[in-house]
């Protein structure tokens, strides 16, 4: 391969990689190594292009007309760079104001706190038909989650078009949302903020902590839904991402190792 052909290939490939990397960086693409790799490779190829054409570049800039053209090109590049920085800042640091009476477009403080403390990437896949009337509300909710944390990304998939993918993720009904974080996966039906936040919490928590209700002495039963039962307490604890179980000290020799809290509710 001749020198000028190699230089041409390096110039074209370098420009494509640099522009692609800049665009991915501007839109906050989640795969950061890929973005940095594209930018780095583009700069290296651009430097190689300049080295292979050093003589041509020197002779070009030696002309007065070329210097004027170069100054104009530099101004254009500077202007484009400024626009890119502004776009990047607007994507990553945009501000929203919810002026609705019941704050319908705002997340609860608990949700915002959880999303702000995420240490791993979370992918949310919503399986809705394109014509589903509830899709718009789901998209609005997921957009708020993605806006609250750069670690959250979401996508909508029509299960009729990708049925095998839906089955692989355990989806059997329309309107199911899958929350994935690493190897963990949680499914949400009848999507709302409370259920989605709980799913994110379960998917990102390394260990699911357990809460046990002691039984055998007339204590309140967390399975009892009648008046005086503690089923509402069980549901409230589960919404916080804990697993709820019962513990009989007549049957068990020791407290389970995964127990985070032991509750003795009104023994008789």
């Amino acid at each position: 391969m001749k020198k000028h052909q190699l230089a041409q290939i390096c110039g074209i490939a370098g420009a494509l990689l640099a522009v692609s990397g800049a665009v991915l960086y501007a839109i906050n693409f989640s795969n950061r190594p890929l973005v940095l790799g594209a930018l780095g490779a583009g700069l290296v190829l651009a430097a190689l292009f300049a080295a292979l054409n050093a003589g041509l570049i020197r002779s070009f800039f030696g002309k007065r007309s070329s210097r004027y053209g170069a100054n104009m090109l530099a101004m254009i590049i500077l202007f484009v760079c400024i626009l890119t920085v502004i776009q990047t800042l607007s994507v990553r640091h945009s501000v929203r104001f919810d002026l609705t009476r019941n704050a319908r477009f705002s997340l609860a403080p608990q949700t915002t706190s959880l999303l702000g403390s995420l240490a791993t990437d979370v992918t949310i896949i919503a399986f809705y038909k394109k014509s589903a009337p509830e899709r718009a509300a789901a998209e609005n909710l997921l957009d708020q989650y993605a806006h609250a944390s750069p670690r959250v990304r979401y996508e909508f998939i029509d299960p009729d078009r990708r049925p095998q993918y839906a089955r692989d993720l355990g989806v059997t009904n329309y309107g199911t949302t899958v929350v994935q974080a690493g190897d963990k996966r949680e499914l949400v039906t009848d999507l709302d903020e409370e259920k989605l936040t709980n799913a994110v919490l379960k998917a990102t928590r390394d260990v699911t902590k357990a809460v046990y209700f002691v039984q055998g002495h007339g204590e309140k039963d967390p399975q009892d839904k009648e008046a005086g039962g503690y089923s509402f307490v069980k549901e409230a604890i589960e919404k916080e991402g804990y697993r709820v179980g019962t513990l009989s000290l007549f049957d068990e020799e020791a407290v389970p190792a995964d127990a985070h809290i032991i509750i003795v509710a009104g023994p008789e």
Side-chain angles (χ1 to χ4, degrees):
M1 183 180 295
K2 295 182 179 180
K3 180 180 178 181
H4 73 277
Q5 292 177 327
L6 178 60
Q8 187 177 20
I9 293 174
C10 290
I12 295 174
L16 290 175
L17 286 172
V19 171
S20 299
V23 171
L24 292 174
Y25 181 82
I27 65 175
N28 201 21
F29 188 67
S30 59
N31 193 334
R32 186 54 58 84
L34 177 62
V35 175
L36 296 179
L39 286 172
L43 293 176
V44 170
L45 290 174
L48 183 59
F49 170 81
L52 292 173
N53 292 279
L56 181 62
I57 293 174
R58 281 196 299 269
S59 63
F60 176 80
F61 282 101
K63 301 177 181 179
R64 178 177 298 180
S65 60
S66 298
R67 288 197 294 271
Y68 285 126
N71 289 335
M72 180 62 67
L73 178 61
M75 293 296 294
I76 294 174
I77 293 175
L78 178 61
F79 180 70
V80 172
C81 290
I82 292 174
L83 289 180
T84 302
V85 171
I86 293 174
Q87 171 65 16
T88 302
L89 292 175
S90 67
V91 169
R92 298 190 175 194
H93 304 284
S94 58
V95 178
R96 294 184 176 185
F97 297 96
D98 185 359
L99 302 179
T100 57
R101 179 175 301 178
N102 57 353
R104 59 178 299 188
F105 298 112
S106 298
L107 297 175
Q110 296 88 337
T111 298
T112 304
S113 176
L114 170 64
L115 297 176
S117 63
L118 288 177
T120 185
D121 293 336
V122 175
T123 301
I124 303 175
I125 307 171
F127 288 87
Y128 285 79
K129 296 178 67 175
K130 284 191 173 181
S131 58
E134 63 273 16
R135 174 169 172 157
E139 187 168 3
N140 173 65
L141 178 62
L142 297 184
D143 185 62
Q144 292 182 62
Y145 276 67
H147 181 265
S149 173
R151 288 192 172 276
V152 177
R153 58 175 296 272
Y154 70 90
E155 62 177 318
F156 279 83
I157 292 179
D158 189 336
D160 290 338
R161 296 190 175 185
R162 300 183 63 182
Q164 185 58 50
Y165 184 53
R167 286 193 292 268
D168 291 342
L169 294 183
V171 176
T172 57
N173 297 313
Y174 294 112
T176 300
T177 302
V178 179
V179 178
Q180 292 188 142
D183 297 331
K184 289 188 177 182
R185 181 184 303 157
E186 295 289 333
L187 270 64
V188 179
T189 57
D190 300 325
L191 184 66
D192 60 26
E193 181 184 345
E194 183 179 289
K195 293 178 181 178
L196 184 58
T197 298
N198 193 28
V200 172
L201 181 61
K202 290 181 179 179
T204 55
R205 177 174 286 176
D206 293 333
V207 178
T208 301
K209 298 179 180 180
V211 175
Y212 287 92
F213 283 80
V214 174
Q215 300 289 282
H217 311 86
E219 294 91 347
K220 302 292 185 180
D221 185 357
Q223 304 295 337
D224 187 1
K225 296 183 179 181
E226 302 295 330
Y230 262 36
S231 62
F232 72 97
V233 178
K234 173 178 178 292
E235 292 174 0
I237 294 174
E238 288 177 335
K239 288 177 182 178
E240 295 298 324
Y242 293 90
R243 179 170 58 83
V244 177
T246 57
L247 172 64
S248 173
L249 296 179
F250 294 113
D251 301 324
E252 302 289 339
E253 296 182 356
V255 173
D258 64 345
H260 183 66
I261 298 174
I262 301 295
I263 298 177
V264 184
E268 296 180 359

